[in-house]
Amino acid sequence: MKIKHTHPAYDTPEQRRQAILDVKKTCTAALRSAKEASDKQDA
C-alpha cells in the first residue's frame, strides 16, 4: 500500500495546537462567508 498523505510533524505541542487553531479559523471564516453569500441570495 502506498501512503499518499501524512500528518505533519511538529517540534512542540504548542506548534501543533497553533496549527489546529489556524485551520479552525480558516474553516470558520469560509463557512461564515458561504452563509453570508447564501443569505444575500435568499433576500
Side-chain angles (χ1 to χ4, degrees):
M1 177 195 307
K2 184 175 181 181
I3 298 173
K4 296 181 181 180
H5 302 284
T6 61
H7 292 277
Y10 298 101
D11 294 332
T12 65
E14 178 60 29
Q15 287 179 337
R16 180 180 180 275
R17 188 181 72 80
Q18 188 59 47
I20 291 171
L21 288 174
D22 291 344
V23 169
K24 181 180 176 183
K25 288 178 188 176
T26 301
C27 291
T28 302
L31 289 170
R32 185 180 303 121
S33 176
K35 183 179 182 329
E36 288 172 358
S38 175
D39 288 347
K40 286 180 182 178
Q41 283 182 342
D42 292 342

